């Protein structure tokens, strides 16, 4: 079994396309690349149902789409028998995580990804030397990032941690090595997206996988249909090197393990 559980429902020009017919090219790319099942995980801050959570302008601008339309589009594809799952990429929002979870509660999610992109309103992955990097030392950014990640994992509100060491995106690492957090109750995503960022590596490092021994999913973080399952040979190589023989399959937020490959 091979899954790609992280993609954003866009057209080939990366325009938001929350429609069932826009799902077909994702399914076609998946089939061509030997991916058995795909899952959509649109950004939580794209939806007006979550608008009360976002003060920052970049999120407030994106926050114009209807969550019901997105959920219905994926639901329609499922009813037509396409191998797709309904997910969402849920941001870390600190002490408002329960409030966000409550807004998402009515929907029939197969899984929720948890992502730390911002801490105290400052971005980790938007610009080298900007956002959080402009305010804190490299060591401090990593400490804050891993603290937030562990908090998100233990919240019980997400099922998978997306790009679990995203803070390496610009190649900045603590001089004296990592103090990896203990993460519990979630799966970790092996994401090929990092190969196409300045760092040029998979997320996460093998050592982070080995430090926690949690189950895994696989992810391209595709923002266009043509990137589904991109570089999955590299993701599988990492998974096997780290000792994984199974991959996590989600349905209705229940996880099960299937043989990997
Ligand atoms: Zn993300
Ligand atoms: Zn994403």
């Amino acid at each position: 079994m091979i899954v790609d559980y992280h993609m954003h429902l866009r057209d080939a020009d990366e325009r938001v396309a929350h429609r069932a017919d826009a799902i077909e090219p994702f399914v076609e790319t998946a089939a061509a690349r030997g991916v058995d099942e795909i899952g959509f995980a649109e950004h939580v801050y794209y939806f007006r149902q979550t608008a009360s959570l976002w003060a920052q302008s970049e999120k407030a601008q994106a926050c114009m789409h209807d969550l019901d339309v997105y959920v219905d589009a994926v639901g329609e594809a499922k009813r037509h028998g396409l191998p797709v799952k309904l997910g969402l990429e849920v941001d870390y929002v600190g002490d408002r995580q329960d409030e966000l979870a409550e807004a998402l509660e009515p929907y029939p999610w197969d899984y929720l990804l948890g992502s730390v992109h911002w801490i105290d309103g400052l971005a980790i992955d938007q610009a080298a030397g900007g956002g959080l990097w402009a305010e804190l030392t490299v060591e401090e950014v990593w400490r804050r990032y891993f603290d937030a990640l562990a908090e998100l994992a233990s919240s019980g509100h997400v099922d998978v941690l997306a790009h679990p060491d995203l803070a390496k995106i610009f190649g900045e690492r603590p001089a004296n090595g990592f103090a990896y957090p203990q993460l519990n109750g979630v799966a970790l995503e092996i994401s090929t997206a990092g190969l196409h960022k300045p760092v040029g590596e998979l997320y996460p490092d093998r050592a982070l996988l080995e430090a926690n021994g949690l189950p895994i999913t696989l992810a391209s973080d595709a923002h266009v249909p043509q990137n589904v399952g991109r570089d999955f040979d590299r993701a599988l190589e990492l998974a096997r090197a780290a000792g994984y023989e199974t991959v996590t399959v989600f349905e209705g937020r229940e996880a099960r393990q299937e043989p990997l490959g």
Side-chain angles (χ1 to χ4, degrees), residues 1-8 26 29-30 33-41 83-85 111 113 189-192 217-222 224-225 227-232 247-248:
M1 182 84 176
I2 296 181
V3 302
D4 184 346
Y5 273 173
H6 190 154
M7 59 198 66
H8 299 265
F26 285 85
T29 310
R33 294 202 169 134
V35 175
D36 300 293
E37 180 173 280
I38 61 172
F40 293 92
V84 301
K85 291 283 163 77
Y111 61 84
L113 302 185
E189 171 187 281
I190 295 180
S191 170
T192 59
T217 64
L218 304 172
S220 63
D221 210 342
V224 286
N227 287 345
V228 173
R230 179 162 65 157
D231 302 316
F232 267 27
V247 66
T248 313

Side-chain angles (χ1 to χ4, degrees), residues 138-140 142-143 146 172-181 205 207:
V138 169
E139 282 69 21
E140 190 65 11
W142 275 99
R143 196 184 63 73
F146 276 148
E172 299 280 7
R173 288 179 155 94
N176 297 317
F178 287 112
Y180 285 124
D205 285 358

